[in-house]
């Protein structure tokens, strides 16, 4: 898996996960059982199983399901990238959903009724009144979950996708440099994750919260920058260092 694909993986999972989680959270808060029960079952199911199992399921079981349904014994899977994309998106969307549900519930119910009094319907009240305020409340937790997502991308090595950690593991086993390689990887992850954590503190402090639209753009910029930095580190290690060229 190239650094560009790793960058696209992290950004796509975050963007798609947050959007789908917003709709899922509204479904969980709905008074209609046909919407709230399936949404709750999905969230509880995904949050009850480990991420690595979800990745394995899409990578190994999807080809078997396709062969069983189509009867084609030569049917292939969807590949490491799309397996990781679907698995990470489904997994992170469940966690983002609970974060957004708590953020929405933190807004007083009276503000929704105020929107009704102004002639707005439910979706307009949610989109223009509730969600902008709720997003400010849940921004720190969303950013923290995004940092966890950045760390979890190292699990792609289990489906034969060479990322930063996977390349370092190959070099460590080949050259018997376990301490050096894993320490180097730990330092890179620490620097990026700690830097993002500091930025979360800065954002929560209100330095960048200029308008109701600022938090969303700020978060997306931070996510993209973090994944781009991670991709650059992977490229430097895998392609431009004597240790990683043969990994």
């Amino acid at each position: 898996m190239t650094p560009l694909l790793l960058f696209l993986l992290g950004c796509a999972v975050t963007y798609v996960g947050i959007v789908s989680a917003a709709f899922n959270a509204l479904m969980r808060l709905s008074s209609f059982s046909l919407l709230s029960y399936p949404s709750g079952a999905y969230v509880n199911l995904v949050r009850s199983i480990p991420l690595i199992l979800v990745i394995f399921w899409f990578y190994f079981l999807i080809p078997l399901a396709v062969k069983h349904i189509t009867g084609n014994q030569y049917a292939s899977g969807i590949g490491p990238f799309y397996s990781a994309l679907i698995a990470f998106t489904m997994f992170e969307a469940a966690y983002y959903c609970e974060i957004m549900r708590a953020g929405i519930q933190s807004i007083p119910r009276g503000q929704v009724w105020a929107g009704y009094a102004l002639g707005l319907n439910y979706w307009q009240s949610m989109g223009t009144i509730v969600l902008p305020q709720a997003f400010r409340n849940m921004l720190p937790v969303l950013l923290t979950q995004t940092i966890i997502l950045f760390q979890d991308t190292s699990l792609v090595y289990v489906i034969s996708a060479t990322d930063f950690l996977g390349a370092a593991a190959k070099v460590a086993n080949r050259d018997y440099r376990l301490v050096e390689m894993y320490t180097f990887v730990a330092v890179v992850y620490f620097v990026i994750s700690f830097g993002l954590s500091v930025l979360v503190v800065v954002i929560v402090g209100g330095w960048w919260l200029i308008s109701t639209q600022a938090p969303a753009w700020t978060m997306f910029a931070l996510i993209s920058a973090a994944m781009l930095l991670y991709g650059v580190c992977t490229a430097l290690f895998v392609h431009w260092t004597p240790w990683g060229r043969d990994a």
Side-chain angles (χ1 to χ4, degrees), residues 113-164:
W113 298 113
Y116 292 159
L118 294 175
L120 303 178
N121 58 30
Y122 174 77
W123 296 105
Q124 290 174 333
S125 299
M126 278 291 175
T128 59
I129 299 177
V130 177
L131 287 180
Q133 300 178 76
F135 195 84
R136 285 173 174 261
N137 296 338
M138 59 189 168
L139 180 62
V141 188
L142 282 176
L143 287 174
T144 302
Q145 184 63 34
T146 303
I147 295 174
I148 297 174
L149 166 63
F150 161 70
Q151 297 170 347
D152 287 343
T153 54
S154 60
L155 291 175
V156 298
Y157 84 92
V158 300
I159 54 176
S160 303
T162 301
D163 69 319
F164 184 61

Coordinates of all heavy atoms in Angstrom, one line a residue, residues 113-164:
W113 N -37.6 23.3 19.7 CA -38.9 23.9 19.7 C -38.8 25.3 19.3 O -39.8 25.8 18.6 CB -39.5 23.8 21.1 CG -39.7 22.4 21.6 CD1 -39.1 21.8 22.7 CD2 -40.6 21.4 21.1 NE1 -39.5 20.5 22.8 CE2 -40.4 20.2 21.8 CE3 -41.5 21.4 20.0 CZ2 -41.2 19.1 21.6 CZ3 -42.2 20.3 19.7 CH2 -42.0 19.1 20.5
A114 N -37.7 26.0 19.6 CA -37.6 27.4 19.1 C -37.5 27.4 17.6 O -38.0 28.3 16.9 CB -36.4 28.0 19.7
G115 N -36.8 26.4 17.0 CA -36.8 26.3 15.6 C -38.1 26.0 14.9 O -38.5 26.6 13.9
Y116 N -38.9 25.2 15.6 CA -40.3 24.9 15.1 C -41.1 26.2 15.2 O -41.9 26.5 14.3 CB -41.0 23.9 16.0 CG -40.4 22.5 15.9 CD1 -40.6 21.5 16.9 CD2 -39.6 22.1 14.7 CE1 -40.1 20.3 16.7 CE2 -39.1 20.9 14.6 CZ -39.3 19.9 15.6 OH -38.8 18.7 15.5
A117 N -40.9 27.0 16.2 CA -41.6 28.3 16.3 C -41.3 29.3 15.2 O -42.1 30.1 14.8 CB -41.4 28.9 17.7
L118 N -40.1 29.1 14.7 CA -39.7 30.0 13.5 C -40.1 29.5 12.2 O -39.8 30.0 11.2 CB -38.1 30.2 13.6 CG -37.5 30.9 14.8 CD1 -36.0 30.9 14.7 CD2 -38.0 32.4 14.8
G119 N -40.8 28.3 12.2 CA -41.3 27.8 10.9 C -40.3 26.7 10.3 O -40.6 26.3 9.2
L120 N -39.3 26.3 11.1 CA -38.4 25.3 10.5 C -38.9 23.9 10.8 O -39.6 23.7 11.9 CB -37.0 25.4 11.2 CG -36.3 26.8 11.0 CD1 -35.0 26.8 11.7 CD2 -36.1 27.1 9.5
N121 N -38.6 22.9 10.0 CA -39.0 21.6 10.2 C -37.9 20.9 11.0 O -36.9 21.5 11.4 CB -39.3 20.8 8.9 CG -38.1 20.8 8.0 OD1 -36.9 20.9 8.4 ND2 -38.4 20.8 6.7
Y122 N -38.0 19.6 11.3 CA -37.0 18.9 12.1 C -35.6 18.9 11.5 O -34.7 19.2 12.2 CB -37.5 17.4 12.3 CG -36.5 16.6 13.0 CD1 -36.4 16.6 14.4 CD2 -35.6 15.7 12.4 CE1 -35.5 15.9 15.1 CE2 -34.7 14.9 13.0 CZ -34.6 15.0 14.4 OH -33.7 14.2 15.1
W123 N -35.5 18.6 10.3 CA -34.2 18.6 9.6 C -33.5 19.9 9.5 O -32.3 20.1 9.7 CB -34.3 17.9 8.3 CG -34.7 16.5 8.3 CD1 -35.9 16.0 8.0 CD2 -33.9 15.4 8.7 NE1 -36.0 14.6 8.2 CE2 -34.8 14.2 8.6 CE3 -32.6 15.2 9.2 CZ2 -34.3 13.0 9.0 CZ3 -32.2 14.0 9.5 CH2 -33.0 12.8 9.4
Q124 N -34.3 21.0 9.3 CA -33.8 22.3 9.2 C -33.4 22.8 10.6 O -32.3 23.4 10.8 CB -34.9 23.3 8.7 CG -35.1 23.1 7.2 CD -36.3 23.9 6.7 OE1 -37.2 24.3 7.5 NE2 -36.3 24.3 5.4
S125 N -34.1 22.4 11.6 CA -33.7 22.8 13.0 C -32.4 22.1 13.4 O -31.5 22.7 14.0 CB -34.8 22.4 14.0 OG -36.0 23.1 13.7
M126 N -32.3 20.8 13.0 CA -31.1 20.1 13.3 C -29.9 20.6 12.6 O -28.8 20.8 13.2 CB -31.3 18.6 13.0 CG -32.0 17.8 14.0 SD -31.0 17.6 15.5 CE -32.1 16.7 16.6
G127 N -30.1 20.9 11.3 CA -28.9 21.4 10.5 C -28.5 22.8 10.8 O -27.3 23.1 10.6
T128 N -29.4 23.6 11.2 CA -29.0 25.1 11.3 C -28.9 25.5 12.8 O -28.3 26.5 13.0 CB -30.1 25.9 10.6 OG1 -31.4 25.7 11.2 CG2 -30.1 25.6 9.1
I129 N -29.5 24.8 13.7 CA -29.5 25.2 15.1 C -28.8 24.2 16.0 O -27.8 24.6 16.7 CB -31.0 25.4 15.6 CG1 -31.7 26.5 14.8 CG2 -30.9 25.7 17.1 CD1 -33.1 26.6 15.2
V130 N -29.1 22.9 15.9 CA -28.6 22.0 16.9 C -27.2 21.5 16.5 O -26.3 21.6 17.4 CB -29.6 20.8 17.0 CG1 -29.0 19.7 18.0 CG2 -30.9 21.2 17.5
L131 N -27.0 21.0 15.3 CA -25.7 20.4 14.9 C -24.6 21.4 15.0 O -23.5 21.0 15.5 CB -25.8 19.8 13.5 CG -26.6 18.5 13.4 CD1 -26.7 18.0 12.0 CD2 -26.0 17.4 14.3
P132 N -24.7 22.7 14.6 CA -23.5 23.6 14.7 C -23.1 23.7 16.2 O -21.9 23.8 16.5 CB -24.1 24.9 14.1 CG -25.1 24.5 13.2 CD -25.8 23.3 13.8
Q133 N -24.1 23.8 17.1 CA -23.7 23.9 18.5 C -23.2 22.6 19.1 O -22.2 22.6 19.8 CB -24.9 24.3 19.4 CG -25.5 25.7 19.0 CD -26.7 26.1 19.8 OE1 -26.6 26.4 20.9 NE2 -27.9 25.9 19.2
A134 N -23.8 21.5 18.7 CA -23.4 20.2 19.1 C -22.0 19.9 18.6 O -21.2 19.2 19.4 CB -24.4 19.1 18.7
F135 N -21.7 20.3 17.4 CA -20.3 20.0 16.9 C -19.2 20.6 17.7 O -18.2 20.0 17.9 CB -20.3 20.5 15.4 CG -19.1 20.0 14.7 CD1 -19.2 18.7 14.1 CD2 -17.9 20.7 14.6 CE1 -18.1 18.2 13.4 CE2 -16.8 20.1 13.9 CZ -16.9 18.9 13.3
R136 N -19.5 21.8 18.3 CA -18.5 22.4 19.1 C -18.3 21.6 20.4 O -17.2 21.4 20.9 CB -18.9 23.8 19.5 CG -18.8 24.9 18.5 CD -19.4 26.2 18.9 NE -19.2 27.3 18.0 CZ -18.2 28.2 18.1 NH1 -17.4 28.1 19.1 NH2 -18.1 29.1 17.2
N137 N -19.4 21.0 20.9 CA -19.2 20.2 22.2 C -18.5 18.9 21.9 O -17.8 18.4 22.8 CB -20.6 20.0 22.7 CG -21.3 21.2 23.2 OD1 -20.7 22.3 23.5 ND2 -22.7 21.2 23.3
M138 N -18.7 18.3 20.8 CA -18.1 17.0 20.5 C -16.8 17.1 19.7 O -16.2 16.0 19.5 CB -19.1 16.1 19.8 CG -19.6 16.7 18.4 SD -20.9 15.7 17.7 CE -21.5 16.7 16.4
L139 N -16.4 18.3 19.4 CA -15.1 18.4 18.6 C -13.9 17.8 19.3 O -13.2 17.0 18.7 CB -14.9 19.9 18.3 CG -13.6 20.2 17.5 CD1 -13.7 19.5 16.1 CD2 -13.4 21.7 17.3
P140 N -13.7 18.0 20.6 CA -12.5 17.4 21.2 C -12.5 15.9 21.2 O -11.5 15.3 20.9 CB -12.6 17.9 22.7 CG -13.4 19.1 22.6 CD -14.4 18.9 21.5
V141 N -13.7 15.3 21.4 CA -13.8 13.8 21.4 C -13.6 13.3 20.0 O -13.0 12.2 19.7 CB -15.1 13.3 22.0 CG1 -15.1 11.8 22.2 CG2 -15.3 14.0 23.3
L142 N -14.2 14.0 19.0 CA -14.0 13.6 17.6 C -12.6 13.6 17.2 O -12.1 12.7 16.5 CB -14.9 14.5 16.7 CG -16.4 14.3 16.6 CD1 -17.0 15.3 15.7 CD2 -16.7 12.9 16.1
L143 N -11.9 14.7 17.6 CA -10.4 14.8 17.2 C -9.6 13.7 17.9 O -8.7 13.1 17.3 CB -9.9 16.1 17.6 CG -10.4 17.3 16.7 CD1 -9.9 18.6 17.3 CD2 -9.9 17.1 15.3
T144 N -10.0 13.4 19.2 CA -9.3 12.3 19.9 C -9.5 10.9 19.2 O -8.6 10.1 19.1 CB -9.8 12.2 21.3 OG1 -9.5 13.5 22.0 CG2 -9.1 11.1 22.1
Q145 N -10.8 10.7 18.8 CA -11.1 9.5 18.1 C -10.4 9.4 16.7 O -10.0 8.3 16.3 CB -12.6 9.3 17.9 CG -13.1 8.0 17.2 CD -12.7 6.8 18.1 OE1 -12.8 6.9 19.3 NE2 -12.4 5.7 17.4
T146 N -10.2 10.5 16.1 CA -9.4 10.6 14.8 C -8.0 10.2 15.0 O -7.3 9.6 14.2 CB -9.5 12.0 14.2 OG1 -10.9 12.3 14.0 CG2 -8.8 12.0 12.9
I147 N -7.4 10.7 16.2 CA -6.0 10.3 16.5 C -5.9 8.8 16.7 O -5.0 8.1 16.3 CB -5.5 11.1 17.7 CG1 -5.5 12.6 17.5 CG2 -4.2 10.6 18.2 CD1 -5.1 13.4 18.7
I148 N -6.9 8.2 17.3 CA -7.0 6.8 17.5 C -7.1 6.1 16.2 O -6.4 5.0 15.9 CB -8.1 6.4 18.4 CG1 -7.9 7.0 19.8 CG2 -8.3 4.8 18.5 CD1 -9.1 6.7 20.8
L149 N -7.9 6.6 15.3 CA -7.9 6.1 13.9 C -6.6 6.1 13.2 O -6.2 5.1 12.5 CB -9.0 6.9 13.1 CG -8.9 6.7 11.6 CD1 -9.3 5.2 11.2 CD2 -9.9 7.6 10.9
F150 N -5.9 7.2 13.4 CA -4.5 7.3 12.8 C -3.6 6.2 13.3 O -2.9 5.6 12.5 CB -4.0 8.7 13.1 CG -2.5 8.8 13.0 CD1 -1.9 8.7 11.7 CD2 -1.7 8.9 14.1 CE1 -0.5 8.8 11.6 CE2 -0.3 9.0 13.9 CZ 0.3 8.9 12.7
Q151 N -3.7 5.9 14.6 CA -2.9 4.8 15.1 C -3.4 3.5 14.7 O -2.5 2.6 14.5 CB -2.9 4.9 16.7 CG -2.3 6.2 17.2 CD -2.6 6.4 18.7 OE1 -3.4 5.7 19.3 NE2 -1.9 7.3 19.3
D152 N -4.7 3.3 14.5 CA -5.2 2.0 14.1 C -4.9 1.7 12.7 O -5.0 0.5 12.3 CB -6.7 2.0 14.3 CG -7.1 1.9 15.8 OD1 -6.3 1.6 16.6 OD2 -8.3 2.2 16.1
T153 N -4.5 2.6 11.8 CA -4.2 2.3 10.4 C -3.0 1.4 10.3 O -2.8 0.7 9.3 CB -3.9 3.6 9.6 OG1 -2.9 4.3 10.3 CG2 -5.1 4.4 9.5
S154 N -2.2 1.2 11.4 CA -1.1 0.3 11.4 C -1.6 -1.2 11.3 O -0.8 -2.0 11.0 CB -0.2 0.5 12.6 OG -1.0 0.2 13.8
L155 N -2.8 -1.4 11.5 CA -3.3 -2.8 11.5 C -3.5 -3.3 10.0 O -3.7 -4.5 9.9 CB -4.7 -2.9 12.2 CG -4.7 -2.7 13.7 CD1 -6.2 -2.7 14.2 CD2 -3.9 -3.8 14.4
V156 N -3.3 -2.4 9.0 CA -3.4 -2.9 7.7 C -2.3 -3.9 7.3 O -2.4 -4.7 6.3 CB -3.4 -1.8 6.7 CG1 -4.5 -0.8 6.9 CG2 -2.0 -1.0 6.8
Y157 N -1.3 -4.0 8.1 CA -0.2 -5.0 7.8 C -0.7 -6.4 7.9 O -0.1 -7.3 7.3 CB 1.0 -4.7 8.7 CG 0.9 -5.4 10.1 CD1 1.5 -6.7 10.3 CD2 0.3 -4.8 11.1 CE1 1.4 -7.3 11.5 CE2 0.2 -5.3 12.4 CZ 0.7 -6.6 12.6 OH 0.7 -7.2 13.8
V158 N -1.8 -6.6 8.7 CA -2.3 -8.0 8.8 C -2.9 -8.6 7.6 O -3.1 -9.8 7.5 CB -3.2 -8.1 10.0 CG1 -2.6 -7.7 11.3 CG2 -4.5 -7.3 9.7
I159 N -3.2 -7.7 6.6 CA -3.8 -8.2 5.3 C -2.8 -7.9 4.2 O -3.2 -7.7 3.1 CB -5.1 -7.5 5.0 CG1 -5.0 -6.0 5.1 CG2 -6.2 -8.0 6.0 CD1 -6.3 -5.3 4.7
S160 N -1.5 -8.0 4.6 CA -0.4 -7.9 3.6 C -0.3 -6.6 2.9 O 0.2 -6.5 1.8 CB -0.6 -9.0 2.5 OG -0.6 -10.3 3.1
A161 N -0.7 -5.5 3.6 CA -0.5 -4.2 3.1 C 0.6 -3.5 3.8 O 0.6 -3.4 5.1 CB -1.8 -3.3 3.3
T162 N 1.7 -3.2 3.1 CA 2.9 -2.7 3.8 C 2.7 -1.2 4.1 O 2.7 -0.4 3.2 CB 4.1 -2.9 2.9 OG1 4.3 -4.3 2.6 CG2 5.4 -2.3 3.5
D163 N 2.6 -0.9 5.3 CA 2.6 0.5 5.7 C 3.8 0.8 6.5 O 4.8 0.1 6.4 CB 1.3 0.8 6.6 CG 1.4 0.1 8.0 OD1 1.9 -1.0 8.0 OD2 1.1 0.7 9.0
F164 N 3.9 1.9 7.2 CA 5.1 2.3 8.0 C 5.5 1.2 9.0 O 6.6 0.8 9.0 CB 4.8 3.6 8.7 CG 6.0 4.2 9.4 CD1 7.1 4.5 8.7 CD2 6.0 4.4 10.7 CE1 8.3 5.0 9.3 CE2 7.1 5.0 11.4 CZ 8.2 5.3 10.7

